[in-house]
Amino acid sequence: MNKIQNDGFILIVDDNPTNLSVVCEALNSEGFRFRVAVDGESAIAQIERNHPELILLDVQMPGIDGFETCRRLKANPATQNIPIIFTTALADTESKTKGFSLGAVDYIPKPFAQEEVIARVRVHLQLKQLTESLEQQVSDRTKALQKAQVQLVQQEKLSTLGELIAGIGHEINNPINFISSNIPPLQEHIAGVTKLFLLYEQEYPNPTAKITNAIEDLDLNFVLEDIVKILNSLQLGSERIRNLSNSLRNFCRSDRDAKISADLHQGLDSTLMILQHRLNANGDRSRIEVIKSYGELPLVRCYLGEMNQVFMNILANAVDALDEAIMQGKINNLSPQIKITTEIDSEQLIIIRIADNGIGIPERLKKRLFEPLFTTKTVDKGTGLGLSIAYQIVVEKHKGILDVNSQPGIGTEFIIKIPT
């Protein structure tokens, strides 16, 4: 290795012209690029502007000496990983120990032997490049493992969810079909009995005292009216359960390996239906108002079940943000709201915006939101996988964009963009 990778350079820090001449000649003969500083202060200023690959640092200099220069460089996170080789005539063990304790990687004794200078420089440049390569490999492997972990969790969630929904759907459908199919004939029977009562009343306007007392005790007119209302309530309730069952089945269409043409509005509505219990008022807050501003969207080829999971994760986070804002008293007199807007832009991208007026996200945390295992919630309320899974589904599986806008105290908006 005759040259430093990436056009880097070596910084020589020495106030002695003779020493500088020897070292510069040695490095130049081997094709190394180098720069020179004659004291510690100017060396630090140079290094802060442009980081060298390696520093040859004299110990004894005017102003701050080499030890202090080294200490300052190692205290700065931006420069602490630059290898430093001390050049000095001090050969005592105490000086060497001090240098190594400050973070130096080697010593070159004076007077210089050019071959030794080149050999030590080359070794430490190679070590630095190998270390950087190893760190990059570790970083890449860590990211790959995190990605694999997220995918495994996602697959397990979808598989478990599919089994759960299938079981719930089966258990719900049988009794709800029984109830809903029997309501119409029951309505007919009750209408017939009511008609018969009215006919008796017309034909026998003067019933016996016993029948009159029984009618008064029962409050027959009220009962006949109330039965109709009860049947209407049963019919409405069974329809609601049927809609919930349909929403669960639509939401759970996640076991398909191929994309399908799907109505994303139906996916959003199914998700909202499942989250209905969380949107309702509770002891701490009023009902969360959901404002829909749906545009005209074509059917979109997508993995609908996985897109529903994206909607679920983002909407559930919005509810959490609103709950936290109210708990901390940061939503003031505003009613909690979630606004969902959909549109198609000029580039034929489907855009879905999900915004809340909750607590918001600090700027320093926004860039980490989609990292696996990162969460701002307490251990019992979040795993840090929801948004990273959403990111993988939107960006990697659908070749789309998932972005976030947020202002602390005002709210958060997630923007999903996927091609048609």
Side-chain angles (χ1 to χ4, degrees), residues 122-313:
R122 183 174 286 120
V123 165
H124 287 292
L125 286 175
Q126 289 175 338
L127 287 173
K128 180 176 185 290
Q129 291 171 1
L130 287 171
T131 300
E132 291 174 346
S133 175
L134 180 60
E135 289 174 347
Q136 185 60 48
Q137 290 180 42
V138 171
S139 176
D140 292 343
R141 290 291 179 88
T142 300
K143 290 178 181 177
L145 286 171
Q146 288 179 333
K147 181 178 178 181
Q149 181 186 30
V150 170
Q151 290 174 337
L152 286 172
V153 170
Q154 178 188 351
Q155 291 169 1
E156 182 63 25
K157 276 187 173 182
L158 293 176
S159 175
T160 303
L161 185 61
E163 295 175 4
L164 176 64
I165 298 305
I168 291 175
H170 177 74
E171 293 299 324
I172 288 178
N173 280 338
N174 285 337
I176 201 60
N177 284 338
F178 174 80
I179 293 171
S180 59
S181 62
N182 280 290
I183 288 176
L186 182 59
Q187 287 175 321
E188 291 179 10
H189 297 334
I190 291 175
V193 172
T194 301
K195 185 177 181 180
L196 182 60
F197 276 133
L198 294 176
L199 184 59
Y200 263 98
E201 190 176 43
Q202 290 174 7
E203 295 295 324
Y204 299 98
N206 300 309
T208 65
K210 187 174 182 179
I211 293 176
T212 301
N213 291 334
I215 290 173
E216 291 177 354
D217 291 341
L218 181 61
D219 197 353
L220 181 60
N221 290 334
F222 169 79
V223 168
L224 293 176
E225 292 176 3
D226 200 41
I227 285 175
V228 175
K229 294 178 182 179
I230 291 172
L231 283 174
N232 290 336
S233 296
L234 288 173
Q235 188 170 32
L236 182 63
S238 63
E239 288 175 0
R240 185 174 179 80
I241 295 173
R242 188 186 299 279
N243 290 336
L244 178 59
S245 179
N246 290 335
S247 295
L248 289 171
R249 288 199 299 273
N250 289 332
F251 181 85
C252 195
R253 294 169 71 178
S254 54
D255 55 349
R256 296 179 182 241
D257 295 327
K259 290 182 177 180
I260 61 172
S261 295
D263 181 356
L264 292 182
H265 289 157
Q266 184 186 64
L268 285 163
D269 290 340
S270 296
T271 307
L272 288 169
M273 175 68 75
I274 295 169
L275 283 173
Q276 194 66 44
H277 70 288
R278 296 206 59 198
L279 299 173
N280 291 334
N282 58 38
D284 298 322
R285 63 159 168 80
S286 59
R287 173 179 171 77
I288 295 174
E289 180 185 9
V290 177
I291 303 171
K292 299 178 187 177
S293 182
Y294 289 173
E296 292 291 332
L297 297 185
L299 295 179
V300 180
R301 288 193 60 78
C302 64
Y303 301 97
L304 179 59
E306 296 193 8
M307 285 304 301
N308 287 342
Q309 189 178 8
V310 173
F311 300 152
M312 175 67 77
N313 289 338

Side-chain angles (χ1 to χ4, degrees), residues 83-87 99-100 103-108 116 120-121 123-124:
I84 295 174
I85 300 176
F86 277 122
T87 60
F100 285 126
V105 296
D106 206 351
Y107 263 87
I108 299 178
E116 182 178 6
R120 290 181 185 270
V121 165
V123 165
H124 287 292

